Amino acid sequence: MSLKIIVTGGAGFIGSNFIFHMLKAHPDYKIICVDKLTYAGNLDTLKEVIAQEKINFFRIDICDREKIFALFERERPDVIINFAAESHVDRSINDPGIFLFTNTLGTGVLLDACVKFGIKRYHQVSTDEVYGDLPLDRPDLFFTEKTPLKTSSPYSASKASADLLTLAYNRTYKLPVSISRCSNNYGPYHFPEKLIPLMIINALHDKPLPVYGQGLNVRDWLYVEDHCRAIDLIIHDEGSVGEIYNIGGHNEMRNIDIVKLICRELGKPESLIKFVEDRKGHDLRYAIDPEKIYMRLGWLPATRFAEGIKKTIKWYLENKSWWERLIKL
Ligand SMILES: NC(=O)c1ccc[n+]([C@@H]2O[C@H](COP(=O)([O-])OP(=O)(O)OC[C@H]3O[C@@H](n4cnc5c(N)ncnc54)[C@H](O)[C@@H]3O)[C@@H](O)[C@H]2O)c1
């Protein structure tokens, strides 16, 4: 059955990759992208699929109740996948307010529209950061879906609030929702303020590579296409209503090792690395146990980090025009 899907935040990193994935996997679906086009939203990414009328695009803020309700009334979507968010932890430390608006209240507006107009599924794209962090000296510990929420930054707190709201709408209004909590993504179309693209671009320009603290913080990295495939599986599984899934690749790496690897791949000296004052409240280690999504939906990551990072670096080398406009070096 063909579905009409609203993808919010589809001009951002993961949302745009998700749109490309869906156009390939389900060419008969109607995709509507809703995005406010903040500094992180880039319509260049979608220009070809918009020009070819493969998707419809609407510039709307998800906090704008009137416009969101009018869109739902007109389009009557089957599925909503909410990627729209302020997503940069450092920005949330400097200016938390907008995170509460978009990430929490904006989610509330979408949920209200879903209740009013009726949908087949609302999917909330969440993050492993809602669980807080794990100690560096306990590699045996992982986040499961039952790990208590224990947020560290305004970003993760706003995302955790959105998760709770989503679950409350399931319980109270029987809204068919699902939630996925993914580890760090990397891949094409990643905004150049985030670790991997920032390091690639700075290294290419022989600029310093700023690393927080001693670079010992550990993140679990997943190639973005694997995340998109997981969401595709969840939204098509009727048994996933009311469920939360952790998504991760068992690919834990220290920040410093990622940066050194990028230097090696680009033939740049490690002397470019510059340790800078640590981020306030910096989470030490994230590590996902993806057992549930594997057991229930058969999902496993397809791209190993060694291969994914090469593909990502190649993409940044071949798509300079995409990122050059976005940076002030
Ligand atoms: N990047 C990661 O590693 C990662 C990991 C796990 C979960 N997530 C989650 O995935 C989602 C997407 O992350 P991303 O890295 O693609 O973020 P991004 O910052 O690249 O993209 C966010 C998009 O949302 C849009 N947006 C922001 N505020 C909006 C608003 N009020 N109304 C409509 N659109 C708005 C932006 O214009 C942008 O296009 C987020 O919800 C994030 O919390 C990200």
Side-chain angles (χ1 to χ4, degrees), residues 8-15 34-42 60-63 82-87 102 125-128 155 159 182-185 190-191 194 227:
T8 66
F13 166 44
I14 310 176
V34 167
D35 201 296
K36 179 182 174 183
L37 297 181
T38 66
Y39 77 94
N42 188 347
I60 303 177
D61 180 341
I62 58 166
C63 300
N82 183 24
F83 292 91
E86 289 292 337
S87 68
T102 289
V125 181
S126 186
T127 164
D128 60 356
Y155 163 68
K159 293 294 290 184
C182 192
S183 58
N184 279 37
N185 285 214
H190 206 177
F191 194 80
K194 301 286 173 72
H227 184 186

Side-chain angles (χ1 to χ4, degrees), residues 29-97:
Y29 284 14
K30 180 153 195 249
I31 309 266
I32 298 167
C33 173
V34 167
D35 201 296
K36 179 182 174 183
L37 297 181
T38 66
Y39 77 94
N42 188 347
L43 217 44
D44 265 2
T45 310
L46 299 174
K47 67 174 184 246
E48 272 178 38
V49 290
I50 293 173
Q52 293 164 15
E53 296 182 3
K54 289 190 177 167
I55 67 166
N56 286 338
F57 175 80
F58 297 101
R59 184 174 194 176
I60 303 177
D61 180 341
I62 58 166
C63 300
D64 188 332
R65 185 171 289 267
E66 220 170 278
K67 286 196 179 140
I68 289 291
F69 274 49
L71 178 77
F72 273 63
E73 186 164 32
R74 196 171 67 239
E75 297 289 346
R76 300 285 172 166
D78 299 302
V79 177
I80 315 321
I81 303 166
N82 183 24
F83 292 91
E86 289 292 337
S87 68
H88 193 39
V89 176
D90 289 343
R91 286 178 189 258
S92 86
I93 293 167
N94 295 330
D95 184 13

Side-chain angles (χ1 to χ4, degrees), residues 59-224:
R59 184 174 194 176
I60 303 177
D61 180 341
I62 58 166
C63 300
D64 188 332
R65 185 171 289 267
E66 220 170 278
K67 286 196 179 140
I68 289 291
F69 274 49
L71 178 77
F72 273 63
E73 186 164 32
R74 196 171 67 239
E75 297 289 346
R76 300 285 172 166
D78 299 302
V79 177
I80 315 321
I81 303 166
N82 183 24
F83 292 91
E86 289 292 337
S87 68
H88 193 39
V89 176
D90 289 343
R91 286 178 189 258
S92 86
I93 293 167
N94 295 330
D95 184 13
I98 185 69
F99 284 73
L100 306 187
F101 275 107
T102 289
N103 299 3
T104 309
L105 296 179
T107 299
V109 169
L110 293 173
L111 289 166
D112 283 342
C114 290
V115 170
K116 174 147 192 205
F117 295 101
I119 40 101
K120 292 193 171 75
R121 180 71 64 88
Y122 173 87
H123 184 79
Q124 176 69 9
V125 181
S126 186
T127 164
D128 60 356
E129 298 196 29
V130 297
Y131 299 122
D133 64 353
L134 296 164
L136 290 175
D137 59 356
R138 290 291 309 273
D140 55 314
L141 296 181
F142 295 92
F143 298 136
T144 74
E145 290 79 359
K146 295 201 166 72
T147 302
L149 302 184
K150 190 171 176 293
T151 56
S152 309
S153 68
Y155 163 68
S156 53
S158 66
K159 293 294 290 184
S161 309
D163 285 10
L164 293 176
L165 208 51
T166 303
L167 293 173
Y169 275 60
N170 173 245
R171 166 94 187 227
T172 305
Y173 305 109
K174 306 275 173 288
L175 197 69
V177 307
S178 46
I179 297 177
S180 52
R181 294 179 178 153
C182 192
S183 58
N184 279 37
N185 285 214
Y186 68 101
Y189 303 108
H190 206 177
F191 194 80
E193 70 187 348
K194 301 286 173 72
L195 181 78
I196 289 183
L198 180 72
M199 296 302 150
I200 296 173
I201 291 169
N202 278 17
L204 281 175
H205 291 84
D206 298 305
K207 296 265 177 191
L209 307 176
V211 172
Y212 281 131
Q214 292 303 304
L216 302 180
N217 305 59
V218 172
R219 302 292 180 257
D220 176 11
W221 292 93
L222 185 73
Y223 194 61
V224 62

